[in-house]
Amino acid sequence: MEDSIVVLEHVKKYFDIRDSDGKKGTLRAVDDVSFAIKKGETFGLVGESGCGKSTLGKTLLNLSPITDGTIHIEGKDVSQLKGRSEKVQFGSKVQLVFQDPSACLNPRNKIGTILAEPFKIHFKKTMNKQEMEQKIDELLTMVGLAPEYKHRYPHEMSGGQKQRIGIARALALNPDIIICDEPVSALDVSIQAQVINLLEELQEKLDLTYLFISHDLGVVYHMCDRIAVMYLGNIVELADKKALYEETLHPYTQALISAAPSIDQVKKERIVLKGDVPSPSDPPKGCKFHTRCPYTMDICKKEKPLLEEVKDNHYVACHLCKQRN
C-alpha cells in the first residue's frame, strides 16, 4: 500500500521453550501475520490474552527480533537496522505507551528527570539544560499537566496522571508512530475516557499514527479506524470498524463481540465458545480455531485458511466465510 507507514509481511515470532520434563519445543507467539497501517490512522489489534498482540507490538519496536518475514516502517526494513546511530534514529520515530503507568516510571526519579532521559540520549551534545527544561514544560502542558509536576515523584501522582507522563515521554522525540499497548486497561473507567480523549487530540494535532492494542472492544470501536482480530498468533479478520461490528464474518469475532458490553441499544445473543484456547506451543492442525468453532467442517481440520479479501477491504481467514461470500 503506497500510503502505508507500516507494512508487515508474513511476520513470525517463535520462542524456544522447554516443558517440565526438559523437552525442547517451539512457542509460536506470532505465526504468519501480514497487514499495513496507513499514515494518520488508528489501527486496532484485539484478541484474548496470550494471542500474541503485545509480542507483535514489540517486534514493531525492534525489541524482539522476528523469526521470519519483514517489517517495513517508513520504507525501512526494521530487521536490517545496523549500528547504534540507525537504531537511535529509528527509536525517535516509533514510541510505546505502556499498559501499567506505575511500572514504567522509575519511582526513584522525579518526573522532570524521567522526561529528560530521551533528550539526554538523543540530543546530549546539542541541547543545553535550559532548552531541556523548556521542552519538559511543553510536554507536560501538552498532556494537560502543569509544569510544576516535574518536581514530583511518580508515587505522588494518580494513575491517570502517571499515564499522561508516559504519553509525554512517548511524545518527547516527535515520533510518527505510537504503539499503545493496553494504555487504559489499568485505569478507572472515568479516567479511561480522559486518556482516550487526550490521545485523540494529540493524534489530530501532531498527525500521529497509532497501533492500538487492546482486549476492550468498546474502547477499540471508539478509537480505531480499522480493526484486526487476532487468535493464537494469526489475524482471523480485518476490516473497517463499522463493517467488523455490523457485518461480522469470522465465528471467533462474532463470539468476542457478543461477549462485550453492547455499544448500541440492540442486545445481541451471547455466543459461548466451548473448550479452552489451545497452547501456542502445540496449535491444532488446519484452522487453529476449529477445536472451538461451532461450524467446523472437515477442511477446517486439514487446511489452514488464508487471510483473504471477501468483501471491499474486509478480510477473513475462514473456509466457511469464503464459501458464503
Side-chain angles (χ1 to χ4, degrees):
M1 299 173 66
E2 294 182 358
D3 58 344
S4 298
I5 192 171
V6 177
V7 179
L8 288 79
E9 294 182 320
H10 306 292
V11 172
K12 298 179 181 180
K13 177 60 185 178
Y14 298 164
F15 296 94
D16 294 329
I17 59 172
R18 291 180 182 270
D19 61 19
S20 57
D21 298 323
K23 185 179 179 181
K24 292 183 179 180
T26 301
L27 190 150
R28 302 168 183 266
V30 179
D31 195 16
D32 198 358
V33 168
S34 301
F35 61 78
I37 303 176
K38 301 175 184 177
K39 182 173 175 57
E41 81 168 332
T42 300
F43 186 92
L45 190 60
V46 302
E48 294 172 286
S49 297
C51 71
K53 306 187 300 295
S54 294
T55 299
L56 189 58
K58 291 176 182 177
T59 64
L60 287 175
L61 288 162
N62 205 29
L63 295 176
S64 183
I66 58 176
T67 304
D68 197 10
T70 59
I71 299 176
H72 285 84
I73 295 180
E74 294 186 329
K76 293 185 178 180
D77 188 341
V78 172
S79 64
Q80 299 301 314
L81 296 175
K82 297 179 180 178
R84 185 177 184 276
S85 60
E86 281 192 17
K87 292 180 179 179
V88 168
Q89 185 178 8
F90 170 79
S92 68
K93 297 294 183 181
V94 185
Q95 289 290 307
L96 173 68
V97 175
F98 294 88
Q99 176 179 357
D100 188 347
S102 298
C104 71
L105 302 177
N106 190 333
R108 297 184 178 182
N109 291 340
K110 291 183 178 180
I111 297 304
T113 303
I114 292 171
L115 293 180
E117 288 180 3
F119 303 122
K120 290 179 179 178
I121 294 172
H122 290 261
F123 307 113
K124 185 176 181 179
K125 297 181 180 180
T126 59
M127 183 179 289
N128 59 42
K129 187 175 181 179
Q130 184 177 358
E131 291 172 330
M132 198 175 295
E133 288 290 325
Q134 184 178 350
K135 288 292 294 182
I136 291 170
D137 290 350
E138 291 174 0
L139 285 172
L140 288 168
T141 302
M142 191 180 296
V143 297
L145 297 175
E148 290 74 23
Y149 276 79
K150 65 185 176 184
H151 302 298
R152 295 189 183 187
Y153 286 94
H155 73 269
E156 298 177 295
M157 308 178 73
S158 68
Q161 289 170 337
K162 283 185 278 192
Q163 191 60 294
R164 288 174 185 265
I165 297 300
I167 294 170
R169 181 173 57 185
L171 294 173
L173 301 174
N174 299 316
D176 297 320
I177 305 161
I178 293 183
I179 299 172
C180 302
D181 188 3
E182 302 272 12
V184 297
S185 63
L187 306 176
D188 293 339
V189 175
S190 60
I191 306 302
Q192 286 184 11
Q194 296 175 19
V195 173
I196 288 170
N197 290 336
L198 173 63
L199 288 170
E200 290 180 327
E201 292 169 6
L202 292 170
Q203 182 178 37
E204 184 175 354
K205 181 179 180 181
L206 303 175
D207 193 25
L208 296 169
T209 301
Y210 290 148
L211 171 62
F212 197 90
I213 300 171
S214 179
H215 66 275
D216 190 326
L217 290 168
V219 172
V220 169
Y221 184 84
H222 177 79
M223 278 287 299
C224 299
D225 302 302
R226 290 187 299 145
I227 300 170
V229 180
M230 200 166 183
Y231 181 81
L232 213 62
N234 292 119
I235 302 297
V236 296
E237 189 164 3
L238 192 164
D240 293 341
K241 68 176 180 182
K242 186 175 181 180
L244 189 79
Y245 278 77
E246 296 181 1
E247 302 177 51
T248 314
L249 298 178
H250 199 282
Y252 176 64
T253 310
Q254 293 171 355
L256 279 185
I257 292 177
S258 76
S262 180
I263 58 175
D264 51 33
Q265 299 301 316
V266 180
K267 181 66 176 178
K268 297 182 179 180
E269 183 180 353
R270 175 71 188 275
I271 301 173
V272 180
L273 296 176
K274 297 181 180 180
D276 298 323
V277 181
S279 170
S281 62
D282 186 24
K285 294 182 180 180
C287 174
K288 293 181 180 179
F289 186 61
H290 86 258
T291 58
R292 304 175 73 197
C293 180
Y295 311 110
T296 299
M297 305 179 294
D298 287 340
I299 190 175
C300 303
K301 302 175 184 179
K302 303 173 184 177
E303 185 178 326
K304 180 180 177 180
L306 300 177
L307 186 69
E308 296 177 348
E309 186 175 18
V310 294
K311 295 183 179 181
D312 290 342
N313 297 316
H314 197 146
Y315 299 80
V316 67
C318 176
H319 295 299
L320 178 63
C321 297
K322 291 169 188 176
Q323 288 182 8
R324 290 175 173 174
N325 293 276

